[in-house]
């Protein structure tokens, strides 16, 4: 697959050699583990662990940087809104009220600020494993790994098709947009009012839909001619046998989930620093 | 039964929300699906064509999601929502669901590096409900078959989908991501208005346009 919409970067690393299905299970397990807690100590450990794994995978920081900055910016905006809309939420959770800033409507409590910080750490701690998955899994191996963990091969193949056609669809979209611009339809800032520009985007949608419907016909005819969907199972050209590393990773992840369930019963849900 | 509800209320009491609302909406979705599965089994079978439709639809959804205008705290107006309505109505609820799920997850992963699972389900449920209109065999925009009552049905299902999707996104954000309820409500209300606007003004009219276009192409009558 030469053209693809994915972010895959080829590097010789142990994480690249792991099977896609292992990495998918790691992603699911990691996310489930994070979802169990609201504790900044756990999130800090997971952030350090996650970014060291990214280091091991030899993905250049240059490609991770924009996505990391985005999540940090997202968390900051999120925290700000959280403080404005629910200034006492942290106190309701922890049961202690320490006024930090008072204004005429109410007061922002220290607990809420801490809560916002914890929540931001939570979002950042989910990031490295997703990046790891997105950057080190080849899209055509991804479909076979989805199939391996029990997703029907037809659905897995649909994901593969989606990856394959994202660049084509984008190109088509730009072509239609340029054609419409040549006819005088405004899409750029300053050319027309916001409402008008939004309405203009609809003029892309219908031609794009019609060309996509044609594409669906062509691709599904091609697949049908090759007998796709005739059998209950299929084999994958890109599937590789599982190695000992895959087994170790899965074991470690199971251990982490077990530890999570144990910690969950020991710790209070929302940990305060004092 | 009331004991169970009370227990659930207590266990989630600190969130200022009762989980039974989420449970009721989930049950509602399951019941609707079971009823449909009983009458139209073929709707849930995936043909090669619907697989390709899912793939291309998801690619379209992911590509068009880049056209997003921020309208609230980490909430944006997305014209791509209209695609869910269109693909749901054209190919049925399963395709709608998968287009929303795969498209949203791909866009999140590729554009932002992290997937916001609860809102992925929001997209998926919008697509699922958009496909329910396809249960009626007399409805098939690809063959130009569309009656007035189907348009009313599409609007009704769109309205219902907004509620179901909001509750799912809410439950996910509050219970899994640990967001405060007040803030999530604000985001969901803004997103619901913008999503319903896109579905009502762009999505459903586009289905009608497609049906009318195909109607003029069709000059053969199917015999029973």
């Amino acid at each position: 697959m030469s053209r693809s919409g994915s972010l895959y970067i080829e590097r010789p690393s142990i994480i690249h050699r792991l099977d896609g299905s292992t990495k998918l299970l790691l992603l699911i397990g990691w996310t489930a583990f994070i979802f169990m807690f609201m504790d900044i100590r756990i999130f800090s450990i997971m952030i350090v662990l996650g970014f060291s794994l990214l280091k091991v995978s030899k993905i250049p920081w240059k490609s991770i940087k924009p996505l990391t900055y985005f999540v940090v910016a997202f968390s900051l905006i999120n925290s700000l809104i959280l403080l404005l809309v629910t200034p006492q939420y942290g106190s309701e959770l922890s049961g202690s009220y320490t006024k930090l800033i008072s204004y005429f409507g109410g007061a922002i409590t220290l607990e809420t600020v801490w809560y916002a910080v914890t929540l931001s750490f939570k979002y950042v701690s989910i990031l490295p494993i997703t990046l790891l998955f997105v950057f080190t899994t080849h899209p055509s191996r991804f479909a076979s790994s989805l199939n391996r963990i029990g997703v029907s091969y037809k659905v897995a193949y649909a994901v593969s098709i989606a990856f394959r056609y994202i660049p084509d669809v984008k190109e088509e979209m730009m072509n239609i947009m340029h054609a419409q611009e040549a006819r005088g339809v405004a899409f750029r800032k300053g050319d027309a009012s916001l409402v008008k520009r939004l309405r203009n985007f609809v003029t892309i949608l219908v031609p794009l839909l019609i060309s996509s419907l044609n594409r669906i016909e062509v691709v599904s005819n091609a697949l049908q001619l090759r007998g796709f969907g005739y059998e209950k199972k299929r084999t994958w050209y890109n599937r590789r046998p599982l190695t000992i590393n895959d087994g170790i990773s899965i074991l470690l992840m199971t251990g982490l989930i077990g530890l999570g369930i144990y910690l969950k019963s020991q710790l209070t849900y929302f940990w305060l620093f004092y | 039964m009331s004991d169970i509800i009370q227990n659930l209320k207590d266990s989630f009491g600190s969130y200022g929300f009762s989980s039974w609302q989420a449970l009721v909406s989930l049950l509602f979705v399951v019941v609707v699906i079971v009823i449909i599965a009983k009458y139209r089994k073929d709707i849930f079978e995936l043909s090669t064509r619907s697989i390709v439709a899912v793939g291309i639809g998801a690619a379209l959804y992911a590509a068009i999601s880049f056209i997003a205008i921020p309208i609230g705290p980490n909430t944006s107006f997305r014209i791509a929502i209209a695609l869910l309505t269109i693909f749901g109505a054209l190919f049925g609820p399963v395709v709608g669901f998968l287009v929303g799920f795969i498209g949203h997850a791909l866009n999140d992963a590729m554009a932002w590096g992290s997937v916001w699972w609860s809102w992925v389900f929001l997209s998926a449920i919008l697509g699922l409900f958009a496909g329910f209109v396809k249960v009626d065999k007399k409805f098939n925009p690809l063959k130009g078959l569309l009656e007035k009552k189907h348009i009313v049905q599409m609007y009704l299902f769109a309205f219902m989908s907004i509620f179901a999707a909001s509750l799912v996104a809410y439950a996910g954000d509050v219970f899994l991501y640990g967001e405060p309820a007040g803030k999530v409500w604000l985001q969901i209300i803004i997103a619901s208005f913008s999503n319903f606007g896109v579905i009502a003004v762009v999505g459903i009219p586009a289905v009608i346009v497609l049906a009318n276009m195909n109607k003029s192409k069709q000059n053969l009558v199917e015999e029973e």
Side-chain angles (χ1 to χ4, degrees):
Chain A
M1 205 182 283
S2 54
R3 287 164 63 99
S4 154
S6 95
L7 298 168
Y8 176 71
I9 297 173
E10 181 81 54
R11 284 281 182 283
S13 84
I14 185 162
I15 292 166
H16 281 73
R17 283 195 292 275
L18 283 180
D19 192 68
S21 55
T22 312
K23 279 180 273 195
L24 192 61
L25 285 176
L26 289 184
L27 171 69
I28 295 168
W30 186 295
T31 313
F33 180 79
I34 297 292
F35 278 164
M36 282 194 270
F37 299 102
M38 202 62 214
D39 192 320
I40 201 163
R41 293 167 299 178
I42 290 169
F43 298 154
S44 311
I45 295 168
M46 295 307 271
I47 289 171
V48 172
L49 187 68
F51 278 96
S52 358
L53 281 177
L54 274 175
K55 186 92 191 153
V56 171
S57 74
K58 296 179 185 156
I59 298 294
W61 167 242
K62 202 177 73 197
S63 1
I64 304 172
K65 200 167 72 177
L67 298 173
T68 312
Y69 285 175
F70 170 78
V71 168
V72 172
F74 174 92
S75 307
L76 281 177
I77 300 169
N78 202 48
S79 306
L80 212 72
I81 302 294
L82 195 156
L83 288 177
L84 283 176
V85 179
T86 52
Q88 307 217 318
Y89 187 72
S91 303
E92 281 164 31
L93 267 186
S94 63
S96 65
Y97 289 80
T98 319
K99 261 188 198 156
L100 202 65
I101 309 160
S102 321
Y103 52 93
F104 54 92
I108 294 176
T109 63
L110 185 62
E111 288 82 1
T112 312
V113 175
W114 186 247
Y115 182 77
V117 172
T118 311
L119 202 61
S120 303
F121 267 68
K122 185 171 187 169
Y123 296 154
V124 177
S125 61
I126 301 176
L127 176 74
I129 192 74
T130 321
L131 290 182
L132 208 63
F133 182 73
V134 171
F135 279 105
T136 67
T137 311
H138 194 278
S140 41
R141 274 176 221 133
F142 177 60
S144 73
S145 57
L146 268 181
N147 183 223
R148 195 173 238 161
I149 65 163
V151 177
S152 132
Y153 79 86
K154 293 182 172 182
V155 176
Y157 200 76
V159 178
S160 198
I161 294 175
F163 266 123
R164 167 63 184 77
Y165 281 101
I166 285 174
D168 287 38
V169 164
K170 261 192 201 157
E171 208 177 280
E172 184 89 37
M173 193 168 90
M174 290 318 284
N175 283 342
I176 295 169
M177 198 164 153
H178 290 150
Q180 298 286 28
E181 271 184 324
R183 298 173 65 203
V185 181
F187 294 111
R188 286 174 212 289
K189 224 177 186 168
D191 287 354
S193 68
L194 184 71
V195 180
K196 187 131 195 231
R197 277 192 291 137
L198 277 181
R199 275 232 304 274
N200 287 345
F201 275 113
V202 180
T203 62
I204 301 181
L205 201 66
V206 171
L208 190 58
L209 255 175
I210 290 165
S211 83
S212 300
L213 289 177
N214 288 336
R215 209 190 281 271
I216 289 172
E217 288 303 317
V218 172
V219 176
S220 62
N221 285 343
L223 278 175
Q224 238 150 22
L225 280 171
R226 287 160 179 78
F228 179 85
Y230 184 72
E231 307 265 349
K232 282 238 181 306
K233 275 184 181 171
R234 65 166 278 181
T235 52
W236 299 84
Y237 178 68
N238 277 303
R239 179 175 279 179
R240 286 182 293 186
L242 293 172
T243 61
I244 186 90
N245 286 340
D246 292 304
I248 294 169
S249 316
I250 298 290
L251 264 179
L252 284 176
M253 191 33 86
T254 321
L256 187 69
I257 295 290
L259 182 72
I261 291 166
Y262 171 72
L263 282 176
K264 177 101 181 138
S265 65
Q266 298 293 311
L267 299 169
T268 48
Y269 176 66
F270 174 43
W271 181 73
L272 278 168
F273 57 97
Y274 53 82
Chain B
M1 189 64 198
S2 63
D3 281 10
I4 300 167
I5 292 173
Q6 193 55 46
N7 271 338
L8 281 170
K9 271 186 180 174
D10 289 345
S11 54
F12 291 108
S14 57
Y15 300 96
F17 170 70
S18 43
S19 64
W20 61 270
Q21 281 180 353
L23 270 177
V24 164
S25 65
L26 198 72
L27 266 176
F28 170 71
V29 173
V30 171
V31 165
V32 170
I33 292 170
V34 167
I35 290 171
I36 292 171
K38 218 171 171 182
Y39 290 100
R40 288 290 307 275
K41 257 193 184 134
D42 54 314
I43 279 235
F44 290 92
E45 274 161 21
L46 282 171
S47 65
T48 307
R49 196 143 163 272
S50 23
I51 291 300
V52 179
V54 169
I56 306 249
L60 266 176
Y61 187 80
I64 300 187
S65 285
F66 288 99
I67 306 173
I69 294 158
I71 47 166
N74 294 330
T75 317
S76 55
F77 170 90
R78 282 181 180 192
I79 207 143
I81 296 289
L83 279 174
L84 300 175
T85 316
I86 297 164
F87 273 82
L90 257 47
F91 299 99
V94 181
V95 173
F97 183 90
L98 290 173
V99 165
F101 191 88
I102 298 172
H104 197 137
L106 279 185
N107 177 56
D108 266 12
M110 283 163 48
W112 320 120
S114 47
V115 182
W116 202 266
W117 293 108
S118 45
W119 291 63
V120 167
F121 274 102
L122 182 136
S123 288
I125 288 193
L126 290 182
L128 179 77
F129 272 71
F132 285 156
V133 67
K134 193 100 201 302
V135 173
D136 189 346
K137 271 188 178 153
K138 282 183 187 144
F139 174 84
N140 193 344
L142 288 173
K143 286 186 179 161
L145 298 173
L146 179 95
E147 290 166 27
K148 273 223 172 74
K149 67 170 184 192
H150 295 133
I151 301 173
V152 178
Q153 274 177 20
M154 277 195 282
Y155 277 103
L156 272 177
F157 280 125
F159 196 66
M160 278 154 70
S161 72
I162 293 288
F163 277 98
S166 301
L167 279 165
V168 171
Y170 175 89
D173 268 9
V174 173
F175 300 135
L176 298 178
Y177 284 93
E179 296 259 358
K183 188 188 127 303
V184 175
W185 270 134
L186 180 73
Q187 287 176 313
I188 284 180
I189 287 167
I190 294 173
S192 296
F193 272 106
S194 111
N195 289 349
F196 190 72
V198 174
I199 293 173
V201 178
V202 184
I204 296 173
V207 176
I208 299 167
V209 168
L210 280 173
N212 287 338
M213 270 171 48
N214 288 327
K215 195 183 267 170
S216 54
K217 273 191 224 156
Q218 217 85 22
N219 54 5
L220 298 173
V221 181
E222 235 175 280
E223 271 182 38
E224 291 290 306

